[in-house]
């Protein structure tokens, strides 16, 4: 028997009470949170420079009005936005998985309840309590993780929508600024 | 006086009989005359005797006095004997009452001792590990008619030996019944009355006088502990404190495979569908990986268009187009080319999605049918056996578990497929639009140098 460090003891007790499903759910929760943190840092570190670069590149073009220019602008903007939302399907999958796993834990817990009922002659409350904890804890955990994950998803979707608008806004603004600068130079030249 | 007369009469009668017999023997050839003569002779003789007796009056008197004296002596003696008898009877009654008094107590004591000794034996002997070795059980006291000192000493000695044995770990070699029924000598470690085990399996308790049997389903972890313990490497040990019922429960607990088979036909169908879906998803994902590798190579070499990837095919089709058309018409043709590529990239996704949705439903179906079977069993057999019901319900729930377990990887596969194919499609559409725009700009006089460069980092 391996000795666990003392700080792992509550985790061990939780696993004892909730069964293997709880461990899987904990893994899902870790994935969800790490994805959320990763998106946050991506938004902070990579997204803004990439957006600025695209705006600069767009403003540096000579042709902005033709069909092809507009098509190119849409393609580039879409590709950039797609980068922001790339882990969204996986986040959605994980969130959808949580209640499913909770249900799985509930059903396995119920099986253990009925097993203990079938094995012990009388319906001993103590024999059932273990299984009932195993049946209820995963559902609770699954719901909690799913709710938090839904918050992340809605936030991310909101950010994507906002950033899409902002990108197009910035692209248009860059043109206007350029026009204004050109006009100012012409006036100055004149 | 009367006694005297009774004593004399038989003497007379005997004399008469004797004389009769003597005459009868003498007259071997009887005839009437000789008989009569004989009778007359006898009468004569008797009369003669009586006369002599009458003459001897004095002798008679003295004989009577002797007899009276003897009688008085005898009656005195009789009275003394009666008194003695009464005294004896009194003391006998006293002794009897004392004896019965003590007898009750002694019999009670003996029976209580016998009962306790047999109780101790029963409590220890039926399925105790202590009887495995050479530790003697306390002897039975039922057979003992009279309790003696050594009986009690035996009981106390064997009890003391048993008590000592409860605190000892003993290794011994004993015949052990194996699961197949063979009896073989094995190394056995006995830990007091708690457990007995061979180095790789626990032993099941058995009745008195029988060899212990190997537990058929010793948990793997436990048997590892036992081996370590027996070899002295570890001090961790599994003990069944319920005297065998936990081990029995462990034996009855179905393994993972048995659980799977409990699901029945619905379970098989669910798992088969899940396996099919996963297979399809794996094949399609491998295809998508191949395609994205080819697309990446195509993007690195934009000048040589290959027809082995969707991007190359779309661009080839665009290159063969009549470029004199207006841009809208060109875009419509390009969209057609992209649309033609979609089915191959999105192949398999609807199937996987459908299976992921169906698996939990089928599992639920199995649960409901299992419940119906359970309740039918209850209708037939009544609710007298809750174990029957519980077993049926836990069987019914297995299909739900199978459905959920099948749905989870299918959902993963579906997400992986859709995200990869969507990324690919987006890339192809973007590249096609970029190619069109580049072409148009190349035709227009001002933007010849721009457009081909893609500022967005590559996808997929």
């Amino acid at each position: 028997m391996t000795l666990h460090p003392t700080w792992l003891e509550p985790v061990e007790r939780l696993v004892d009470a909730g069964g293997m499903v709880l461990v899987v759910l904990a893994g899902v929760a870790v994935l969800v949170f790490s994805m959320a943190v990763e998106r946050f840092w991506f938004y902070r570190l990579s997204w803004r420079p990439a957006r600025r670069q695209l705006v600069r590149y767009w403003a540096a073009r000579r042709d902005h009005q033709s069909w092809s220019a507009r098509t190119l602008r849409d393609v580039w903007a879409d590709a950039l936005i797609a980068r922001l939302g790339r882990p969204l399907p996986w986040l959605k999958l994980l969130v959808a998985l949580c209640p499913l796993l909770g249900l799985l834990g509930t059903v396995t817990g119920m099986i253990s309840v009925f097993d203990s009922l079938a094995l012990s002659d009388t319906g001993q409350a103590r024999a059932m309590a273990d299984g009932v904890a195993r049946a209820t804890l995963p559902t609770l955990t699954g719901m909690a993780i799913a709710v938090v994950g839904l918050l992340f998803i809605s936030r991310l979707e909101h950010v994507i929508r906002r950033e899409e608008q902002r990108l197009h806004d910035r692209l248009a603004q860059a043109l206007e600024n350029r026009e204004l600068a050109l006009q100012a130079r012409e006036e100055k030249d004149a | 006086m009367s006694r005297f007369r009774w004593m004399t009469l038989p003497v007379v009668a005997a004399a008469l009989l004797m004389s009769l017999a003597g005459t009868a023997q003498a007259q071997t050839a009887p005839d009437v005359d000789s008989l009569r003569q004989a009778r007359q002779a006898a009468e004569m003789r008797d009369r003669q005797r009586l006369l002599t007796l009458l003459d001897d009056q004095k002798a008679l008197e003295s004989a009577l006095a002797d007899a009276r004296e003897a009688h008085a002596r005898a009656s005195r003696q009789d009275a003394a004997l009666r008194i003695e008898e009464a005294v004896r009877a009194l003391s006998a009654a006293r002794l009897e009452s004392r004896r019965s008094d003590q007898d009750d107590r002694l019999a009670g004591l003996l029976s209580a001792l016998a009962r306790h000794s047999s109780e101790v034996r029963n409590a220890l002997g039926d399925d105790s590990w202590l009887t495995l070795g050479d530790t003697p059980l306390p002897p039975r006291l039922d057979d003992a008619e009279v309790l003696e000192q050594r009986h009690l000493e035996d009981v106390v000695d064997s009890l003391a030996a048993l008590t000592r044995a409860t605190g000892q770990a003993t290794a011994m070699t004993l015949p052990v019944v194996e699961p197949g029924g063979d009896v073989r000598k094995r190394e056995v470690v006995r830990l007091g009355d708690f457990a007995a085990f061979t180095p790789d399996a626990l032993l099941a308790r058995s009745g008195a006088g029988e060899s212990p049997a190997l537990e058929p389903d010793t948990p793997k972890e436990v048997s590892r502990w036992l081996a370590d313990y027996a070899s002295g490497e570890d001090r961790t040990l599994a003990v069944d404190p319920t005297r065998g019922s936990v081990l029995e429960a462990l034996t009855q607990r179905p393994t993972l495979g048995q659980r799977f088979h409990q699901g029945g036909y619905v379970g098989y169908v669910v798992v088969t569908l899940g396996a099919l879906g996963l297979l399809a998803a794996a094949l399609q994902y491998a295809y998508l990986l191949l395609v994205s590798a080819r697309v990446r190579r195509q993007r690195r070499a934009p000048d040589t268009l290959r027809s082995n990837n969707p991007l190359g095919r779309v661009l080839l089709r665009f290159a063969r187009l009549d470029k004199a058309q207006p841009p809208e018409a060109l875009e419509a043709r390009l969209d057609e080319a992209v649309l033609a590529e979609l089915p191959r990239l999105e192949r398999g996704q609807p199937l996987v999605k459908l299976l992921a949705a169906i698996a939990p439903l089928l599992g639920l179906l199995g649960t409901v049918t299992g419940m119906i079977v359970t309740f039918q069993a209850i209708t037939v057999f009544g609710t007298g056996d809750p174990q029957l019901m519980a077993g049926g319900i836990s069987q019914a729930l297995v299909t739900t578990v199978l459905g959920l377990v099948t749905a989870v990887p299918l959902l993963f596969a579906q997400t992986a497929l859709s995200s990869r194919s969507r990324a690919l499609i987006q890339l192809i559409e973007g590249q096609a639009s970029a190619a069109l725009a580049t072409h148009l700009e190349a035709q227009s006089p001002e933007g010849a140098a721009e457009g081909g460069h893609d500022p967005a980092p590559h996808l997929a």
Side-chain angles (χ1 to χ4, degrees):
Chain A
M1 204 157 125
T2 52
L3 283 173
H4 300 293
T6 44
W7 58 268
L8 261 179
E9 208 170 289
V11 180
E12 220 175 318
R13 241 181 292 149
L14 198 65
V15 171
D16 270 353
M20 258 324 280
V21 179
L22 219 56
V23 180
V24 179
L25 272 172
V28 170
V30 167
L31 270 181
V32 167
F33 285 117
S34 52
M35 279 167 96
V37 170
E38 187 266 342
R39 275 299 97 178
F40 178 73
W41 284 114
F42 174 81
Y43 180 66
R44 273 289 157 87
L45 298 182
S46 314
W47 167 253
R48 282 176 181 163
R51 190 181 64 192
R52 228 171 288 135
Q53 188 193 350
L54 180 63
V55 170
R56 224 179 293 131
Y57 186 81
W58 169 249
R61 276 177 64 96
R62 248 175 296 166
D63 172 26
H64 295 110
Q65 303 302 323
S66 69
W67 180 88
S68 61
R70 271 181 281 126
T71 310
L72 275 179
R73 195 188 76 171
D74 285 348
V75 168
W76 293 339
D78 283 352
L80 201 60
I81 289 295
R83 277 181 67 197
L84 193 60
R86 201 182 309 159
L88 196 60
W90 293 100
L91 208 55
K92 277 183 176 164
L93 166 77
L94 290 179
V95 167
L97 220 56
C98 283
L100 220 60
L101 284 175
L103 187 60
L104 183 66
T106 298
V107 178
T108 50
M110 275 167 74
I111 287 181
S112 77
V113 169
F114 285 116
D115 270 356
S116 64
L117 268 186
L119 288 181
S120 63
D121 302 332
T122 53
Q124 286 179 349
R126 194 174 294 179
M128 286 170 60
D130 189 31
V132 170
R134 206 161 279 190
T136 44
L137 263 181
T139 301
L140 177 70
T141 322
M143 288 296 159
I145 299 172
V147 165
V148 178
L150 276 180
L151 288 181
F152 284 148
I153 286 178
S154 68
R155 180 77 195 148
L156 186 55
E157 279 178 339
H158 176 243
V159 165
I160 288 173
R161 232 181 359 256
R162 194 187 65 199
E163 287 303 317
E164 200 171 0
Q165 281 173 2
R166 196 178 280 173
L167 181 60
H168 288 289
D169 198 36
R170 290 282 164 85
L171 289 173
Q173 228 173 24
L175 283 190
E176 283 168 18
N177 289 344
R178 191 160 159 273
E179 302 271 314
L180 285 177
L182 281 178
Q183 278 178 12
R185 200 186 301 162
E186 276 168 17
E187 280 169 16
K188 207 174 169 186
D189 288 348
Chain B
M1 292 303 277
S2 63
R3 186 179 285 182
F4 186 64
R5 192 161 58 229
W6 278 111
M7 282 171 74
T8 51
L9 266 179
V11 172
V12 177
L16 273 173
L17 278 174
M18 289 272 283
S19 62
L20 274 173
T23 52
Q25 272 180 348
Q27 302 291 324
T28 52
D31 56 15
V32 181
D33 290 339
S34 61
L35 279 174
R36 192 179 299 136
Q37 281 171 5
R39 198 187 65 215
Q40 283 167 354
E43 277 178 2
M44 284 291 293
R45 211 164 45 233
D46 287 348
R47 200 167 296 155
Q48 201 86 36
R49 233 188 243 174
L50 277 172
L51 286 177
T52 55
L53 279 174
L54 281 174
D55 287 345
D56 206 2
Q57 188 76 32
K58 219 169 175 185
L60 271 174
E61 289 287 332
S62 73
L64 185 63
D66 281 354
R68 280 189 181 151
E69 199 180 337
H71 173 71
R73 210 167 45 235
S75 61
R76 265 201 313 277
Q77 221 168 4
D78 180 52
L81 280 173
R82 272 170 199 271
I83 291 169
E84 197 178 345
E85 186 190 340
V87 170
R88 287 253 173 92
L90 207 65
S91 73
R94 210 166 53 233
L95 278 173
E96 179 69 27
S97 76
R98 258 175 65 187
R99 194 184 68 85
S100 68
D101 202 22
Q102 288 180 350
D103 206 29
D104 276 354
R105 285 194 215 149
L106 272 178
L109 185 66
L110 183 59
S111 73
L113 271 174
R115 187 160 46 81
H116 282 306
S117 79
S118 61
E119 269 176 12
V120 167
R121 268 191 79 97
N122 289 344
L124 285 171
D126 278 346
D127 57 351
S128 170
W129 296 123
L130 294 177
T131 58
L132 278 185
D134 41 8
T135 323
L137 277 178
R140 288 189 193 282
L141 293 179
D142 298 342
D143 310 332
E145 286 287 325
V146 180
L147 196 62
E148 285 183 32
Q149 182 88 23
R150 61 182 171 82
H151 289 139
L152 286 175
E153 281 171 359
D154 284 351
V155 171
V156 168
D157 285 351
S158 52
L159 277 180
L162 286 177
T163 311
R164 196 174 59 241
T166 54
Q168 288 173 337
T170 321
M172 54 187 100
T173 308
L174 282 179
V176 167
V177 182
E178 295 188 349
D182 302 335
V183 179
R184 201 173 292 172
K185 290 230 166 206
R186 299 285 289 265
E187 287 287 319
V188 171
V189 178
R190 184 192 71 189
L191 284 186
D193 196 21
F194 284 117
F197 47 87
T198 65
D200 54 358
L202 289 168
L203 292 176
R205 288 173 192 268
S206 57
E210 295 167 23
S211 304
L214 282 182
E215 196 69 45
D217 281 345
T218 305
K220 283 203 181 68
E221 198 178 19
V222 170
S223 78
R224 210 168 49 235
W225 288 345
L226 293 182
D228 286 351
Y229 191 92
S231 60
E233 288 170 14
D234 200 356
R235 301 187 72 82
T236 311
L237 189 68
V239 169
D240 183 4
T242 58
R243 297 175 76 91
S245 53
V246 166
L247 281 175
E248 198 185 341
L250 280 180
T251 319
Q252 285 181 358
R253 174 160 296 177
T255 60
L256 217 58
Q258 285 170 337
R259 277 241 188 274
F260 169 64
H261 292 297
Q262 275 179 357
Y265 292 118
V266 179
Y268 298 140
V269 168
V270 167
V271 173
T272 313
L273 286 181
L276 280 180
L278 278 184
L279 186 68
L283 288 177
Q284 176 64 12
Y285 197 73
Y287 173 73
L288 284 181
L289 279 180
L290 182 71
V291 166
S292 39
R294 282 179 181 163
V295 166
R296 213 175 297 136
R297 206 179 310 138
Q298 176 69 66
R299 285 187 64 199
R300 247 181 262 133
D303 298 330
T304 53
L305 296 177
R306 295 196 195 87
S307 65
N308 66 354
N309 66 79
L311 180 60
R313 279 195 291 271
V314 169
L315 293 182
L316 269 178
R317 224 171 137 186
F318 175 67
R320 290 196 201 110
L321 279 177
D322 177 15
K323 303 293 186 344
Q325 298 172 16
E328 284 76 10
L330 279 179
E331 194 198 8
R333 303 299 296 277
L334 208 54
D335 278 350
E336 270 173 33
V338 172
L339 271 180
E341 296 296 334
L342 285 192
R344 248 178 289 181
L345 294 179
E346 289 179 337
R347 194 171 44 189
Q349 278 184 43
L351 177 72
V352 176
K353 210 172 186 172
L354 177 75
L355 289 179
I358 274 183
L361 283 181
L362 272 179
L364 194 60
L365 178 72
T367 298
V368 174
T369 51
M371 290 279 191
I372 289 174
V373 169
T374 304
F375 284 115
Q376 271 176 349
I378 289 175
T379 336
V380 176
F381 299 113
T383 52
D385 191 1
Q387 304 191 15
L388 183 82
M389 194 170 70
I393 290 173
S394 78
Q395 244 180 48
L397 289 174
V398 167
T399 54
T400 299
V401 173
L402 284 177
L404 290 173
V405 166
T406 310
V408 170
L410 281 177
L411 278 177
F412 263 103
Q414 199 255 324
T415 309
L417 283 183
S418 74
S419 67
R420 186 159 280 271
S421 70
R422 196 183 306 148
L424 265 176
I425 290 164
Q426 211 166 23
L427 173 76
I428 292 167
E429 278 176 348
Q431 290 285 306
S433 301
L436 178 59
T438 318
H439 166 73
L440 289 177
E441 297 208 338
Q443 279 188 335
S444 68
E446 46 216 76
E450 300 174 88
H453 178 64
D454 184 3
H458 64 92
L459 299 161

